[in-house]
Amino acid sequence: MTDPSEARPAPSLVRTGTEFAELDRLIFEEENWWALPVAEQAALRHRFVAAAVEHHLEHNADYRRFAEARGFTLADLDEPAGLARVPQFPTRMFKRAEIRSVPAQDCDVFKSSGTSGTRSMVWRDEPSLERLAGSLHPEGDIWRTLYGDIDLDDDGMMIHLGPGRREADGVWISYIMTLVEMFASTTSYVRDGVLHLKDAVRDLESALAEGRFVCVAGPPVFVAELLRHMAENSVKTAAGDRMAVITGGGWKKSESTRLDPDELRALAMDTFGLADASQVRDVFNQVELNTAFIECEHHRKHVPPWVEVIVRDPRDLAPLPTGESGLMSYLDPTARSYPCFLLAEDFGSAVTGGCPCGRGGTTVEIHRRMKASSHHGCALRLAETVRTD
């Protein structure tokens, strides 16, 4: 791939930085994204994505050539239906090429590992990282249904079943999970490649005894390891409504080693003595995507209003009707440093409206990875390289 400095200026259109300022206002200042009417969410999405496409066509010569080869022009985005025609990079492109719309010196590199040894390398600058962090929405309504009016800074403790940022070495799931520091005082329990389960259990019990709200956060495989360790040592707690469990990352490598979310929730409820299954939530993200999708109290993953989700027929990539299963693809305007217009390797479905929690907009369900993909995601790769004490 060529350097972004080779990109030639595109003709100036009516769109300006106004859309990005409005996007930032939505991310960082709006209390409840999903209270916006569905039609307003769709209109905002059209404007934000169109502005992002224009930005990357101007600043990324490779993306511009990719679009030109497909006969795409900005005129295709005059109507919202044109979003389905935006050229999308297959996520495996990030394993094969350096994809940037800004100079390398302005970015940090984040990576994911697969069992074949290939890595997705994603270049993020400061605005892109700030928007990603903002998508976790720690003060938002969707989290307040989990911890209510508790001041987590003063009365909470975050038990992070993963490495701290210094040990993360740019691995994406480790970075994402360290952002839980935005919620409460955090201790990481993977040190020098070892997951210290005994220490995690000791601190968990101590914090509950002090009356603090405890959140256990980590990849599903590590949460399962903690639950297994507690069962083997006949340890249970009675946390009631003073605890939450947040998972993030891959749920299975193969059908024989899959983790079932319902079973993990039930085991967590029993082992921790939780009051309700809604206290166990999952967050969806992948290294190439610059927005996190947060699970509500009914275990549906809500897409923030700026991301366009298109489920495509794997045979011809045509958009599928709502609710049908197909290849997931995303148009995410929050990444300034690279075109976050992605054709993923997951099968899933998307539905607009109808969530029992009452929030408007789109929810997604990820069903499985493509069978041809050897990429297991960095959470599962992390589990292969970390030992337990």
Side-chain angles (χ1 to χ4, degrees):
M1 305 294 272
T2 57
D3 191 275
S5 61
E6 297 181 23
R8 53 175 170 78
S12 178
L13 301 181
V14 295
R15 286 184 283 270
T16 67
T18 302
E19 281 77 12
F20 298 115
E22 188 174 354
L23 173 62
D24 288 337
R25 186 202 61 77
L26 176 64
I27 294 173
F28 299 112
E29 299 179 20
E30 188 71 36
E31 178 70 16
N32 186 0
W33 300 325
W34 298 286
L36 295 172
V38 170
E40 184 177 345
Q41 291 188 39
L44 288 172
R45 209 157 42 241
H46 177 223
R47 290 177 51 220
F48 295 156
V49 171
V53 170
E54 181 177 356
H55 165 78
H56 292 293
L57 286 174
E58 179 177 351
H59 295 283
N60 190 306
D62 296 301
Y63 184 69
R64 186 171 61 250
R65 283 193 290 269
F66 182 64
E68 289 171 349
R70 282 151 182 76
F72 174 85
T73 69
L74 283 172
D76 289 321
L77 291 177
D78 287 345
E79 300 295 332
L83 291 176
R85 294 192 290 274
V86 172
Q88 295 173 292
F89 279 138
T91 52
R92 65 183 55 198
M93 282 289 292
F94 291 85
K95 300 179 179 70
R96 300 174 179 174
E98 188 174 300
I99 301 172
R100 287 186 292 106
S101 302
V102 300
Q105 61 265 28
D106 294 339
C107 299
D108 292 321
V109 181
F110 296 89
K111 59 197 175 213
S112 175
S113 298
T115 55
S116 64
T118 57
R119 292 174 176 263
S120 285
M121 306 291 285
V122 180
W123 298 74
R124 285 181 168 90
D125 63 356
E126 185 173 352
S128 303
L129 284 170
E130 288 177 347
R131 291 167 181 164
L132 179 278
S135 76
L136 286 169
H137 211 31
E139 300 301 324
D141 166 78
I142 200 165
W143 288 120
R144 290 201 174 276
T145 58
L146 190 62
Y147 55 79
D149 294 328
I150 296 171
D151 186 337
L152 295 180
D153 287 333
D154 294 332
D155 300 320
M157 176 184 182
M158 191 73 68
I159 291 177
H160 173 216
L161 301 178
R165 205 164 298 182
R166 289 184 178 180
E167 285 196 53
D169 190 31
V171 174
W172 185 238
I173 190 61
S174 300
Y175 176 83
I176 284 288
M177 296 310 293
T178 61
L179 295 179
V180 299
E181 295 170 4
M182 296 190 301
F183 291 78
S185 174
T186 301
T187 301
S188 296
Y189 290 86
V190 171
R191 298 184 293 271
D192 298 322
V194 178
L195 174 58
H196 295 275
L197 295 171
K198 294 178 183 177
D199 293 350
V201 173
R202 178 199 65 215
D203 293 348
L204 186 157
E205 291 183 311
S206 176
L208 288 174
E210 295 170 0
R212 301 173 72 184
F213 186 96
V214 177
C215 182
V216 172
V221 286
F222 285 2
V223 173
E225 281 294 316
L226 176 63
L227 294 169
R228 178 195 59 77
H229 172 81
M230 293 176 69
E232 289 178 351
N233 290 276
S234 302
V235 177
K236 285 191 175 184
T237 64
D241 61 0
R242 300 288 297 181
M243 186 174 177
V245 179
I246 300 173
T247 57
W251 284 84
K252 63 181 180 178
K253 292 184 286 185
S254 66
E255 289 303 321
S256 63
T257 59
R258 72 186 301 273
L259 290 171
D260 182 84
D262 291 333
E263 292 178 3
L264 189 67
R265 281 195 293 268
L267 185 58
M269 283 189 66
D270 179 63
T271 303
F272 296 133
L274 304 180
D276 192 88
S278 66
Q279 293 167 245
V280 185
R281 308 276 184 94
D282 189 54
V283 176
F284 173 76
N285 185 257
Q286 60 187 72
V287 65
E288 301 88 359
L289 184 62
N290 205 55
T291 295
F293 301 166
I294 304 166
E295 197 171 81
C296 72
E297 56 268 37
H298 293 277
H299 305 295
R300 297 194 183 183
K301 294 177 175 65
H302 285 257
V303 181
W306 57 83
V307 177
E308 179 79 1
V309 177
I310 305 168
V311 181
R312 297 185 179 275
D313 190 318
R315 294 167 296 184
D316 59 8
L317 299 185
L320 291 171
T322 183
E324 289 197 18
S325 181
L327 276 179
M328 302 298 291
S329 73
Y330 310 100
L331 303 175
D332 184 349
T334 64
R336 191 185 75 153
S337 50
Y338 69 99
C340 192
F341 314 131
L342 310 171
L343 180 64
E345 296 183 348
D346 296 311
F347 280 89
S349 57
V351 176
T352 298
C355 184
C357 74
R359 295 177 180 86
T362 300
T363 60
V364 297
E365 181 178 353
I366 307 301
H367 302 152
R368 62 178 177 86
R369 295 193 72 81
M370 289 175 58
K371 287 187 171 66
S373 174
S374 64
H375 176 58
H376 290 169
C378 45
L380 294 171
R381 182 61 172 169
L382 185 65
E384 294 172 351
T385 59
V386 170
R387 296 175 288 113
T388 57
D389 66 350

